[in-house]
Amino acid sequence: MTKIADYISKSARQNVLEAIKRANDKNEYHALLSLTEARALERADAVDRGEISGRLAGVPFVVKDNFLAFGAPTTAASRMLEGFKSPLQATAVEKLEAEGAICIGKANLDAFAHGGSTENSAFGPTLNAYDKTKVAGGSSGGSAVVTALDIVPFALGSDTGGSIRQPASFNGVVGVKPTYGTVSRYGVVAMASSTDTIGCFATDAADAELIMDIMAGKDDKDMTTLPNFFEPTAIKSGLKIGLIKDTMTDDVDADVRQVTSDYVARLKAAGHEVSDVAMPIAQHALAMYYIIVPAEVSSNLARYDGIRYGHRAEGVTSLAQLYGKSRDEGFVTENKRRIMIGSYVLSSGFFDAYYLQAQKARTLLINEFDKLFEEYDVLIGPTTPTPAFGLGENTADPVKMYLADIMTVPASLAGLPAISVPAGKSATGLPIGVQLVGPRRSDADLLALAKSMETA
Amino acid sequence: MTDISRDDVQHLAQLSSLALSDQEIDDLRIDIGNILGYINQLSELDTTGVEPTYQVSGLENVWREDKIDDYGLGRDELLALAPESANGQIKVPKVL
C-alpha cells in the first residue's frame, strides 16, 4: 500500500487524476458516495502553481460523508441530508487543506454513523476490501475501504464507539480514535456529543501520526477541544502492557485470539513486559453505551425537523405532520431505533433506572481504567470479537450487530485514546486488528509503539 | 427481551416526532424490546454512592468573549438551505 510520502513532490494534478481513476475502477465496492473532482483539480492546479504548500502538498484524501466539506453534498448517508450543500467546512478538513491536502471524495457510512457494518447507509452497503461477501465494518466503512484499496493514502472518520477502529480492523489498515477533545468536531454531523471523536485511517502508524499532528488542537468553534498536547514522540523501551483477559475468552473467534497472542509475543520479544489484567466491568460497557449514546442521539437528531434544512415531506397540512413525516422518511430504521431508545431512557419514570444508572456505571468504568493505568502504560486486546462478518448476517438482529462494538466502546465511554493496528489474518484471509488503549493524552505514545512494532 | 406494547411504541414515536407506519410499529416493538432486554443487565451493577459522569474532558468553565461571530456565514446563505422560504422567512404549514 502507498504512503503519504509517495505522493509528495509529484504533480498534484496527476495525483488527483490517478486517485479518481482508482476510485472509478473500484466502484463495485461502493466505498464512495461522491467524488469532488472539479474542486480537487482546481486545488491541485493551485498546488502545482505553488500557491498552496505544506506537509501534505498534493496528497489526495477522502472524508467520511458526515464531514461538512466543499465539492459535493454532505449526506451523512441519509435521505434526510441527500443533496445538502454545506456552506462551511469542518475544521479538520480546513486544517488538512491548509497543509495542501486535496479531498477527492466523500466516503460511505451507516446513516448518521449509526451502525457497525455500513449496511445502514441509505444508499447501500460498502463491501469489504478483502472479501466482497463480507461487510466493510462501520460506521466509517467507506473510509477504511478506500484506504485499504489504496485509492488514497489516508481518510478521515469519526469514532463514537468504535466507528474507526472496527472497520480499520476489518480492512487491515491503521485506525486512530484520539483522546476525547483532541480534534475539533466543528462541521461534523453530531451523533453522541460525550463520546464523538475525529480520527483517521492510514496505511501505517507514521502517516496516521502526521495526520493527527495536523488535525489536533484547540478550536474556538468547538469548546470541548483540549489545548494541543499532541507531540510526535519516540518509542519508550520496556513498557508495561496489560492484556485484557476478558477480551480473550472462548466467545472470541479463535483466529482473533491467536493473532492477538502472536502480537503479544512480538511485544515481549521487543522488550516490553506483558501480563494479563482483569477488567470485570468491561462486560457491562456495551449496555452503558447503548443507553448513553441513544440518549444523546435522540437529542442531537432533534434538529432534523424538515424546517431549516434537510428533507421535508410533501403533502402535509400541519406542523406536527411535517415533523413526523419528514423524520420518518429521512431516517433509516436504525436511526429510529436509537432515537426511540433515547426517548425511552430519558423519559420520566425511567430516567433514574437507565440514564442515571448508566452514567454512574460509566464512573466505575473510568475508575477501573484509571486504576489499571497506575500500573500499566498500555492495555491491549483484540479490536473486535470476530473478523468481518457476512453481508446481511447481523441485520435482522440489532443486539447481535451491537455486540461487534463490545471491545471498542469502553475506551469511548472513558474518553481514552485507542488505535487499531493490523496484526494478522484469519485462516480465510480476512484481516485482524489489535487495539492499543492508553491513558488520556497518551495518543503519541500509542502511535510510537505501533510504529516500532511495524518494523519489529 | 422486555415486553412493550404497540401503545408504548406509539408513545415513544410521538415523543420522538416520528410518524411511523403500522409495519414499522410492529417491527420496532420487537427490536426495542430486545434492546431493552439487553441493556436491563445494568440494573445488576451496584452503583450506590457513585457520582455520575457527564463528560470526560475534565475541562471546566471554557470562557469566550461575549462577541457575535457569524463564522463567515450570512443570513441569505443559511436561508437558502431551507426547503421552502418566502420574503426572507422560512415557510411552514399553518401553525394555528
Side-chain angles (χ1 to χ4, degrees):
Chain A
M1 286 190 279
T2 56
K3 313 276 177 232
I4 287 171
D6 299 327
Y7 295 83
I8 301 277
S9 310
K10 287 196 177 157
S11 152
R13 189 178 183 87
Q14 205 57 33
N15 281 346
V16 166
L17 287 171
E18 283 169 13
I20 285 175
K21 181 176 185 311
R22 287 191 295 272
N24 285 325
D25 288 347
K26 306 271 180 168
N27 201 20
E28 77 267 25
Y29 288 89
H30 196 233
L32 288 157
L33 293 176
S34 57
L35 291 169
T36 51
E37 187 167 357
R39 183 166 184 277
L41 285 172
E42 263 173 46
R43 282 183 47 78
D45 289 343
V47 169
D48 287 336
R49 287 194 301 266
E51 292 163 19
I52 308 171
S53 58
R55 286 180 280 174
L56 298 172
V59 180
F61 74 105
V62 158
V63 296
K64 185 179 183 178
D65 202 21
N66 59 350
F67 284 70
L68 300 184
F70 298 146
T74 295
T75 67
S78 71
R79 297 280 173 215
M80 182 63 84
L81 290 177
E82 193 170 9
F84 179 79
K85 286 221 176 73
S86 174
L88 59 95
Q89 292 208 109
T91 297
V93 175
E94 291 276 316
K95 283 186 153 183
L96 292 167
E97 288 200 339
E99 292 282 354
I102 301 173
C103 176
I104 64 132
K106 327 252 334 251
N108 200 8
L109 63 148
D110 290 292
F112 287 100
H114 300 177
S117 69
T118 312
E119 291 168 293
N120 290 330
S121 166
F123 309 116
T126 295
L127 313 184
N128 187 281
Y130 283 76
D131 180 345
K132 284 186 251 181
T133 68
K134 305 287 183 196
V135 300
S139 65
S140 314
S143 298
V145 170
V146 291
T147 310
L149 292 175
D150 223 2
I151 290 170
V152 285
F154 77 95
L156 301 191
S158 58
D159 188 315
T160 301
S163 282
I164 289 175
R165 290 161 284 160
Q166 187 250 35
S169 173
F170 282 5
N171 293 282
V173 293
V174 174
V176 181
K177 171 233 164 322
T179 298
Y180 179 82
T182 304
V183 179
S184 169
R185 302 175 296 181
Y186 178 72
V188 180
V189 174
M191 174 180 164
S193 301
S194 84
T195 69
D196 282 347
T197 59
I198 304 306
C200 68
F201 296 88
T203 60
D204 70 8
D207 279 356
E209 180 185 61
L210 173 61
I211 300 307
M212 296 313 295
D213 190 30
I214 291 169
M215 293 198 298
K218 191 168 162 38
D219 179 13
D220 288 342
K221 295 171 179 166
D222 177 355
M223 291 304 212
T224 62
T225 46
L226 299 168
N228 195 14
F229 61 86
F230 190 92
E231 190 74 49
T233 179
I235 174 71
K236 296 184 177 75
S237 57
L239 291 173
K240 284 194 75 179
I241 300 174
L243 172 64
I244 306 171
K245 63 179 190 187
D246 313 74
T247 64
M248 295 287 276
T249 61
D250 290 348
D251 302 337
V252 177
D253 179 89
D255 289 349
V256 169
R257 277 180 283 148
Q258 189 56 52
V259 164
T260 308
S261 299
D262 292 348
Y263 194 88
V264 165
R266 289 172 49 215
L267 284 168
K268 287 178 179 165
H272 304 295
E273 193 185 310
V274 188
S275 37
D276 285 355
V277 298
M279 228 193 136
I281 199 156
Q283 60 172 312
H284 293 298
L286 195 69
M288 298 173 210
Y289 182 83
Y290 278 100
I291 293 169
I292 294 165
V293 166
E296 296 183 20
V297 161
S298 72
S299 169
N300 270 328
L301 270 62
R303 72 189 69 176
Y304 303 102
D305 54 9
I307 305 286
R308 291 152 300 159
Y309 53 87
H311 174 73
R312 179 182 285 199
E314 307 258 328
V316 293
T317 50
S318 73
L319 202 56
Q321 262 184 4
L322 185 143
Y323 293 147
K325 224 174 148 215
S326 298
R327 287 164 65 79
D328 188 50
E329 292 170 358
F331 291 135
V332 301
T333 304
E334 181 61 20
N335 304 142
K336 296 174 199 174
R337 284 187 197 116
R338 294 197 189 195
I339 290 168
M340 290 169 69
I341 291 286
S343 297
Y344 185 89
V345 300
L346 291 174
S347 55
S348 65
F350 296 111
F351 181 86
D352 286 5
Y354 289 99
Y355 188 71
L356 193 61
Q357 173 73 354
Q359 296 287 39
K360 287 178 178 174
R362 186 181 194 176
T363 305
L364 296 176
L365 175 80
I366 291 169
N367 291 348
E368 213 166 278
F369 267 122
D370 288 349
K371 218 167 140 228
L372 285 170
F373 286 127
E374 281 171 16
E375 207 176 325
Y376 297 92
D377 302 300
V378 178
L379 298 175
I380 186 173
T383 307
T384 59
T386 66
F389 44 88
L391 285 157
E393 197 179 315
N394 291 343
T395 42
D397 184 349
V399 174
K400 213 170 148 212
M401 187 70 91
Y402 295 172
L403 285 166
D405 299 339
I406 196 154
M407 292 161 176
T408 47
V409 296
S412 293
L413 289 168
L416 304 172
I419 63 180
S420 179
V421 293
K425 296 235 171 82
S426 71
T428 56
L430 293 171
I432 292 171
V434 298
Q435 179 177 223
L436 306 171
V437 183
R440 275 176 283 281
R441 307 189 192 210
S442 70
D443 307 49
D445 293 315
L446 292 180
L447 283 161
L449 174 61
K451 270 200 293 189
S452 73
M453 293 303 293
E454 285 170 353
T455 49
Chain B
M1 98 160 247
T2 302
D3 204 25
I4 63 164
S5 68
R6 288 188 103 251
D7 283 351
D8 292 337
V9 176
Q10 248 157 346
H11 177 61
L12 285 177
Q14 200 192 345
L15 288 175
S16 311
S17 286
L18 287 166
L20 302 177
S21 68
D22 284 350
Q23 184 61 50
E24 282 185 300
I25 291 172
D26 288 335
D27 293 346
L28 284 164
R29 191 178 73 82
I30 294 165
D31 291 347
I32 290 171
N34 284 331
I35 295 165
L36 292 176
Y38 182 81
I39 62 180
N40 276 337
Q41 61 163 280
L42 218 53
S43 61
E44 298 162 15
L45 208 60
D46 183 6
T47 57
T48 318
V50 179
E51 287 294 319
T53 294
Y54 293 109
Q55 61 106 339
V56 293
S57 68
L59 293 173
E60 286 175 36
N61 294 345
V62 179
W63 301 102
R64 65 162 176 80
E65 285 291 307
D66 186 15
K67 217 171 61 190
I68 294 171
D69 184 348
D70 65 8
Y71 295 160
L73 298 171
R75 179 193 165 92
D76 292 343
E77 231 174 325
L78 295 176
L79 200 61
L81 298 173
E84 239 186 304
S85 63
N87 306 325
Q89 308 279 330
I90 293 171
K91 217 170 149 183
V92 295
K94 222 162 104 175
V95 179
L96 292 172

